[in-house]
Amino acid sequence: MAVGGFAVDGPVSGAVNGQITASVVITCIVAATSGLIFGYDIGISGGVTTMAPFLQKFFPAVYRKAGEAERNMYCMYDSQVLTAFTSSLYLAGLAASLVASRLTAAIGRRNTMVIGGLTFLAGAAINGGAANVAMLILGRILLGFGVGFTNQATPVYLSEVAPPKWRGAFNTGFQFFIGIGVVVANCLNFVTAKRSWGWRLSLGLAVVPAAIMTIGALLILDTPSSLIERGKVEQARQSLFKVRGKHSDVEAEFAELKKASDVAKEANREPFMTIFERQYRPHLVMSIAIPFFQQVTGINIIAFYAPVLFQSVGLGSDSALIAAIILGLVNLASILVSTGVVDRYGRRFLFMEGGIQMFACQVGVAVLLAVTTGVSGDKQISKGYAILVLVLMCIYAAGFGWSWGPLSWLIPSEIFPIKIRPTGQSISVAVNFATTFVLSQTFLTMLCHFKFGTFLFYSAWIALMTIFVALFLPETKGIPLDSMNLVWEKHWYWRRFVRG
């Protein structure tokens, strides 16, 4: 197997049953529905912030600015209070994701997902009934705690339950449900935008995906690794039998999981200290670099503000919402492509192909906007060119959907040994939220001041991350979690750390 330019020959230790059973499919689908709440929030926030009744009630200054016809197209929605509404969730998510590492170790992956769902449900109810900006932001903070817990626990759950041979495909389910949440939210925004109370319905209906994922999480067992880690050995054996099939021989896999857990307990080190040891340097770098790079592709910013963005470049309010729906559907379809090929062609291939595709589209959008609206952005873009912007954004979204979208959740969840797996995933999710907070807080201001240069900013990052993957990310497809150290030992650069 190719590993960053080198090969791992022969079978890896701890080879396990790669059979796909109905039980593992159902379990992973139910767990992956945790992505619904994050996706729904991403989609709903951008749409609600273009609704006139919502802006009139909570952000009247933004409403007046958007109504000024002579306003520069890039600056009509520039408001720190408005972006605080969107980005407050990510500060809360950052804090929650760091707490979640201890929580998942203490009470398990599944129970952490349940707590996340209940917290998100409470936040959705407060937002739906909000009477002022303070209530809006309180609701957003609770939503942030909810997605912080679920985004930390769910990818790890999926990687621990899925057969190694198909781990990539199963893990992409999380991103797929994020995509479903975005599309459903955009469709709902399109329907509710025509009603004065529509924003309340859009925000309040977030209780539905929260209820779906919470009830689903209550119906599944925790992962064998998590149960062993907490001393529930017999329950772990039963859980493993359930996901691998009643007639499967799970003893070899069970023994490997037990051995890994025993080694972790013997070490008895604080995980947040252990992860900074030299031998875990590649793991730490990836847990920071991968989520950071995912966000500086610009995808979540474009998803949050898609209706605002398309309205800014010349599409009407309804057309902007329809464009956002189209963008979401393209992203959703491309995630299915990733599901089908990630375990066949590997992670590195998809990362690099998607990076090249996204880079070309971002540069294309920047050039198109510069030519059609002028350097200052004062010229009106024609509807035909606005549609061309949408087409380029769809190609961009497709590239993200089969590369950095699902793989940025997959890689951090599969590279860590069990003793630092929850900690590593927490760092990864915290970096994701921290970067998203900074970008969402600054995007509308950046769009106002950088204008079309905003897209060149993101394209430069995409070029950098594609080079990073080519040089430093080893291939991890098909490797059992307990044998993952092999890929670092064979890598041209990282082997100096893990062997030292």
Side-chain angles (χ1 to χ4, degrees):
M1 175 173 292
V3 180
F6 292 81
V8 178
D9 296 319
V12 293
S13 64
V16 300
N17 180 12
Q19 180 183 356
I20 297 178
T21 64
S23 179
V24 77
V25 171
I26 293 169
T27 299
C28 286
I29 288 174
V30 170
T33 59
S34 297
L36 281 173
I37 61 174
F38 191 32
Y40 185 90
D41 181 78
I42 290 170
I44 220 70
S45 301
V48 164
T49 52
T50 66
M51 294 182 186
F54 177 80
L55 292 174
Q56 282 178 304
K57 183 173 180 63
F58 298 107
F59 308 100
V62 178
Y63 178 74
R64 288 192 299 271
K65 188 189 296 185
E68 295 173 7
E70 69 276 9
R71 189 74 186 174
N72 186 292
M73 60 166 270
Y74 291 109
C75 301
M76 64 171 71
Y77 290 100
D78 180 22
S79 165
Q80 287 301 307
V81 182
L82 180 60
T83 50
F85 161 71
T86 300
S87 58
S88 57
L89 179 146
Y90 302 101
L91 275 183
L94 189 160
S97 62
L98 293 174
V99 172
S101 70
R102 295 187 182 279
L103 201 61
T104 53
I107 67 173
R109 295 21 164 175
R110 187 204 70 161
N111 292 335
T112 303
M113 283 154 43
V114 171
I115 291 173
L118 292 173
T119 309
F120 190 93
L121 196 149
I126 291 173
N127 267 357
N132 50 51
V133 173
M135 283 186 71
L136 273 182
I137 293 179
L138 173 62
R140 294 288 292 170
I141 289 171
L142 288 175
L143 295 179
F145 280 119
V147 296
F149 289 138
T150 56
N151 286 10
Q152 193 276 347
T154 305
V156 171
Y157 185 102
L158 293 168
S159 284
E160 289 183 344
V161 167
K165 184 179 179 182
W166 305 107
R167 186 173 57 243
F170 280 105
N171 203 287
T172 60
F174 182 64
Q175 182 70 22
F176 181 73
F177 277 101
I178 290 177
I180 288 177
V182 171
V183 171
V184 169
N186 284 331
C187 291
L188 187 62
N189 280 338
F190 181 71
V191 173
T192 59
K194 299 175 176 62
R195 292 167 175 79
S196 61
W197 43 265
W199 63 269
R200 287 196 185 277
L201 190 61
S202 288
L203 294 176
L205 280 178
V207 300
V208 175
I212 290 171
M213 64 86 35
T214 304
I215 293 169
L218 288 169
L219 298 177
I220 57 178
L221 295 175
D222 208 347
T223 71
S225 294
S226 178
L227 291 166
I228 290 173
E229 189 179 20
R230 292 181 288 133
K232 301 183 178 183
V233 178
E234 271 312 304
Q235 288 184 38
R237 193 188 301 272
Q238 293 305 312
S239 175
L240 195 57
F241 266 120
K242 185 169 184 180
V243 295
R244 298 290 180 256
K246 290 183 179 179
H247 303 295
S248 299
D249 181 7
V250 300
E251 291 307 316
E253 182 177 4
F254 183 79
E256 289 287 349
L257 294 174
K258 186 75 167 61
K259 179 182 175 182
S261 179
D262 290 342
V263 169
K265 287 177 181 176
E266 285 173 12
N268 197 27
R269 292 283 308 278
E270 165 58 47
F272 272 103
M273 297 297 293
T274 303
I275 201 169
F276 286 97
E277 293 177 3
R278 179 180 171 84
Q279 63 179 315
Y280 300 119
R281 190 67 46 79
H283 309 70
L284 180 62
V285 169
M286 292 302 165
S287 70
I288 294 171
I290 296 294
F292 173 78
F293 282 145
Q294 185 200 40
Q295 290 311 306
V296 292
T297 61
I299 188 66
N300 270 3
I301 304 307
I302 287 169
F304 297 148
Y305 299 116
V308 172
L309 183 65
F310 291 130
Q311 202 164 332
S312 295
V313 299
L315 297 177
S317 180
D318 283 354
S319 297
L321 288 172
I322 291 173
I325 293 169
I326 293 170
L327 201 64
L329 288 171
V330 169
N331 182 56
L332 198 58
S334 63
I335 297 168
L336 290 177
V337 174
S338 182
T339 301
V341 303
V342 65
D343 291 311
R344 179 175 300 177
Y345 297 109
R347 286 64 160 149
R348 283 166 50 83
F349 169 79
L350 287 176
F351 267 131
M352 288 188 282
E353 191 286 329
I356 293 168
Q357 185 171 325
M358 288 190 292
F359 174 81
C361 290
Q362 290 278 33
V363 171
V365 169
V367 171
L368 183 62
L369 291 179
V371 170
T372 56
T373 66
V375 175
S376 63
D378 293 326
K379 297 179 184 176
Q380 188 69 29
I381 187 172
S382 70
K383 191 164 186 178
Y385 282 122
I387 291 171
L388 186 53
V389 170
L390 172 60
V391 170
L392 287 171
M393 285 289 93
C394 284
I395 298 171
Y396 161 87
F400 178 86
W402 58 56
S403 62
W404 283 91
L407 300 186
S408 296
W409 298 107
L410 170 61
I411 296 295
S413 72
E414 68 180 359
I415 61 175
F416 291 98
I418 189 171
K419 62 182 174 182
I420 55 171
R421 194 173 297 150
T423 303
Q425 182 68 12
S426 285
I427 290 173
S428 178
V429 174
V431 171
N432 188 300
F433 280 129
T435 311
T436 307
F437 170 77
V438 172
L439 293 178
S440 61
Q441 193 68 30
T442 58
F443 175 72
L444 293 178
T445 300
M446 185 187 297
L447 188 64
C448 181
H449 291 88
F450 286 13
K451 302 177 175 60
F452 62 85
T454 303
F455 299 95
L456 294 177
F457 170 82
Y458 288 123
S459 67
W461 279 111
I462 293 169
L464 179 63
M465 68 184 72
T466 304
I467 294 169
F468 174 86
V469 166
L471 293 176
F472 297 111
L473 182 67
E475 184 55 70
T476 55
K477 71 168 184 173
I479 306 290
L481 295 182
D482 55 282
S483 302
M484 196 60 72
N485 202 52
L486 285 172
V487 303
W488 307 112
E489 290 178 357
K490 296 289 183 180
H491 189 269
W492 71 274
Y493 180 76
W494 297 120
R495 61 186 177 185
R496 71 192 70 184
F497 295 95
V498 297
R499 288 179 178 176

